[in-house]
Short mmCIF file of all heavy atoms in Angstrom, two decimals:
data_model
loop_
_atom_site.label_atom_id
_atom_site.label_comp_id
_atom_site.label_asym_id
_atom_site.label_seq_id
_atom_site.Cartn_x
_atom_site.Cartn_y
_atom_site.Cartn_z
N THR A 10 0.61 -164.21 106.00
CA THR A 10 0.15 -163.18 106.93
C THR A 10 0.74 -161.84 106.51
O THR A 10 0.19 -160.79 106.82
CB THR A 10 0.56 -163.51 108.39
OG1 THR A 10 1.93 -163.84 108.41
CG2 THR A 10 -0.26 -164.66 108.94
N PHE A 11 1.87 -161.87 105.78
CA PHE A 11 2.52 -160.64 105.30
C PHE A 11 2.61 -159.62 106.44
O PHE A 11 2.08 -158.52 106.37
CB PHE A 11 1.78 -160.07 104.08
CG PHE A 11 1.73 -161.04 102.93
CD1 PHE A 11 0.53 -161.59 102.51
CD2 PHE A 11 2.89 -161.43 102.28
CE1 PHE A 11 0.49 -162.52 101.46
CE2 PHE A 11 2.86 -162.35 101.23
CZ PHE A 11 1.66 -162.89 100.82
N ASN A 12 3.32 -160.04 107.48
CA ASN A 12 3.35 -159.29 108.74
C ASN A 12 4.78 -158.92 109.14
O ASN A 12 5.27 -159.43 110.13
CB ASN A 12 2.70 -160.17 109.82
CG ASN A 12 2.52 -159.45 111.14
OD1 ASN A 12 2.23 -158.26 111.20
ND2 ASN A 12 2.71 -160.18 112.23
N PRO A 13 5.47 -158.03 108.38
CA PRO A 13 5.03 -157.30 107.19
C PRO A 13 5.45 -158.00 105.90
O PRO A 13 6.28 -158.91 105.92
CB PRO A 13 5.82 -155.99 107.32
CG PRO A 13 7.14 -156.44 107.89
CD PRO A 13 6.81 -157.57 108.83
N ILE A 14 4.90 -157.55 104.77
CA ILE A 14 5.37 -158.00 103.47
C ILE A 14 6.79 -157.45 103.29
O ILE A 14 7.08 -156.33 103.68
CB ILE A 14 4.44 -157.54 102.33
CG1 ILE A 14 4.92 -158.12 100.99
CG2 ILE A 14 4.27 -156.02 102.30
CD1 ILE A 14 3.93 -157.93 99.84
N HIS A 15 7.70 -158.26 102.74
CA HIS A 15 9.08 -157.82 102.55
C HIS A 15 9.54 -158.11 101.12
O HIS A 15 8.78 -158.69 100.32
CB HIS A 15 10.01 -158.45 103.60
CG HIS A 15 9.93 -159.94 103.68
ND1 HIS A 15 10.35 -160.77 102.67
CD2 HIS A 15 9.47 -160.75 104.67
CE1 HIS A 15 10.18 -162.03 103.03
NE2 HIS A 15 9.63 -162.04 104.24
N ILE A 16 10.77 -157.72 100.80
CA ILE A 16 11.24 -157.88 99.41
C ILE A 16 11.30 -159.35 99.00
O ILE A 16 11.14 -159.66 97.82
CB ILE A 16 12.61 -157.19 99.16
CG1 ILE A 16 13.68 -157.72 100.10
CG2 ILE A 16 12.47 -155.67 99.23
CD1 ILE A 16 15.09 -157.39 99.68
N GLY A 17 11.50 -160.25 99.95
CA GLY A 17 11.48 -161.68 99.63
C GLY A 17 10.15 -162.11 99.04
O GLY A 17 10.10 -162.81 98.03
N HIS A 18 9.06 -161.67 99.66
CA HIS A 18 7.72 -161.98 99.14
C HIS A 18 7.56 -161.44 97.72
O HIS A 18 7.02 -162.11 96.84
CB HIS A 18 6.63 -161.34 100.02
CG HIS A 18 6.55 -161.88 101.40
ND1 HIS A 18 6.58 -161.06 102.51
CD2 HIS A 18 6.44 -163.14 101.88
CE1 HIS A 18 6.47 -161.80 103.60
NE2 HIS A 18 6.40 -163.07 103.26
N LEU A 19 8.00 -160.19 97.53
CA LEU A 19 7.87 -159.55 96.22
C LEU A 19 8.68 -160.27 95.15
O LEU A 19 8.22 -160.46 94.03
CB LEU A 19 8.34 -158.10 96.28
CG LEU A 19 7.32 -157.03 96.59
CD1 LEU A 19 7.95 -155.65 96.37
CD2 LEU A 19 6.06 -157.16 95.75
N ILE A 20 9.91 -160.65 95.51
CA ILE A 20 10.78 -161.35 94.56
C ILE A 20 10.13 -162.66 94.13
O ILE A 20 10.08 -162.98 92.94
CB ILE A 20 12.19 -161.59 95.17
CG1 ILE A 20 12.93 -160.25 95.28
CG2 ILE A 20 12.99 -162.59 94.33
CD1 ILE A 20 14.21 -160.31 96.14
N ILE A 21 9.61 -163.42 95.09
CA ILE A 21 8.96 -164.70 94.78
C ILE A 21 7.72 -164.48 93.91
O ILE A 21 7.54 -165.11 92.87
CB ILE A 21 8.55 -165.46 96.08
CG1 ILE A 21 9.77 -165.81 96.92
CG2 ILE A 21 7.72 -166.69 95.75
CD1 ILE A 21 10.71 -166.84 96.38
N ALA A 22 6.83 -163.58 94.34
CA ALA A 22 5.58 -163.33 93.61
C ALA A 22 5.88 -162.88 92.18
O ALA A 22 5.28 -163.37 91.21
CB ALA A 22 4.74 -162.28 94.34
N ASN A 23 6.81 -161.95 92.03
CA ASN A 23 7.15 -161.44 90.71
C ASN A 23 7.81 -162.53 89.85
O ASN A 23 7.54 -162.65 88.66
CB ASN A 23 8.07 -160.22 90.84
CG ASN A 23 8.24 -159.52 89.51
OD1 ASN A 23 7.27 -159.03 88.93
ND2 ASN A 23 9.45 -159.50 89.01
N HIS A 24 8.67 -163.35 90.46
CA HIS A 24 9.32 -164.44 89.73
C HIS A 24 8.25 -165.41 89.20
O HIS A 24 8.32 -165.85 88.05
CB HIS A 24 10.31 -165.18 90.63
CG HIS A 24 11.20 -166.12 89.88
ND1 HIS A 24 12.43 -165.76 89.41
CD2 HIS A 24 11.01 -167.39 89.47
CE1 HIS A 24 12.98 -166.77 88.76
NE2 HIS A 24 12.12 -167.78 88.79
N MET A 25 7.28 -165.73 90.04
CA MET A 25 6.22 -166.66 89.64
C MET A 25 5.44 -166.15 88.43
O MET A 25 5.12 -166.89 87.52
CB MET A 25 5.26 -166.91 90.81
CG MET A 25 5.86 -167.76 91.90
SD MET A 25 6.13 -169.44 91.32
CE MET A 25 6.87 -170.19 92.76
N VAL A 26 5.15 -164.86 88.43
CA VAL A 26 4.32 -164.31 87.34
C VAL A 26 5.14 -164.07 86.07
O VAL A 26 4.62 -164.14 84.97
CB VAL A 26 3.57 -163.04 87.82
CG1 VAL A 26 4.38 -161.78 87.69
CG2 VAL A 26 2.24 -162.90 87.11
N GLU A 27 6.44 -163.84 86.21
CA GLU A 27 7.27 -163.58 85.04
C GLU A 27 7.88 -164.85 84.44
O GLU A 27 8.16 -164.90 83.26
CB GLU A 27 8.40 -162.60 85.40
CG GLU A 27 7.93 -161.19 85.75
CD GLU A 27 7.24 -160.45 84.60
OE1 GLU A 27 7.47 -160.80 83.42
OE2 GLU A 27 6.46 -159.52 84.88
N PHE A 28 8.13 -165.87 85.26
CA PHE A 28 8.87 -167.04 84.78
C PHE A 28 8.10 -168.34 84.90
O PHE A 28 8.69 -169.41 84.96
CB PHE A 28 10.22 -167.15 85.52
CG PHE A 28 11.09 -165.93 85.32
CD1 PHE A 28 11.14 -164.94 86.29
CD2 PHE A 28 11.83 -165.75 84.16
CE1 PHE A 28 11.91 -163.80 86.12
CE2 PHE A 28 12.61 -164.62 83.97
CZ PHE A 28 12.65 -163.64 84.94
N SER A 29 6.78 -168.26 84.95
CA SER A 29 5.94 -169.47 84.87
C SER A 29 4.80 -169.09 83.93
O SER A 29 4.80 -168.01 83.36
CB SER A 29 5.41 -169.87 86.25
OG SER A 29 4.35 -169.01 86.64
N ASP A 30 3.81 -169.97 83.80
CA ASP A 30 2.70 -169.66 82.88
C ASP A 30 1.55 -168.92 83.58
O ASP A 30 0.46 -168.80 83.04
CB ASP A 30 2.20 -170.94 82.21
CG ASP A 30 1.70 -171.97 83.21
OD1 ASP A 30 1.88 -171.76 84.44
OD2 ASP A 30 1.13 -172.99 82.78
N LEU A 31 1.80 -168.41 84.79
CA LEU A 31 0.75 -167.65 85.50
C LEU A 31 0.62 -166.24 84.89
O LEU A 31 1.61 -165.63 84.52
CB LEU A 31 1.09 -167.54 86.98
CG LEU A 31 1.13 -168.85 87.77
CD1 LEU A 31 1.66 -168.60 89.18
CD2 LEU A 31 -0.25 -169.50 87.83
#
Side-chain angles (χ1 to χ4, degrees):
T10 49
F11 301 113
N12 187 36
I14 184 170
H15 54 67
I16 58 164
H18 295 127
L19 269 189
I20 290 168
I21 297 292
N23 191 61
H24 191 93
M25 288 292 178
V26 86
E27 294 296 338
F28 301 99
S29 76
D30 60 352
L31 296 172

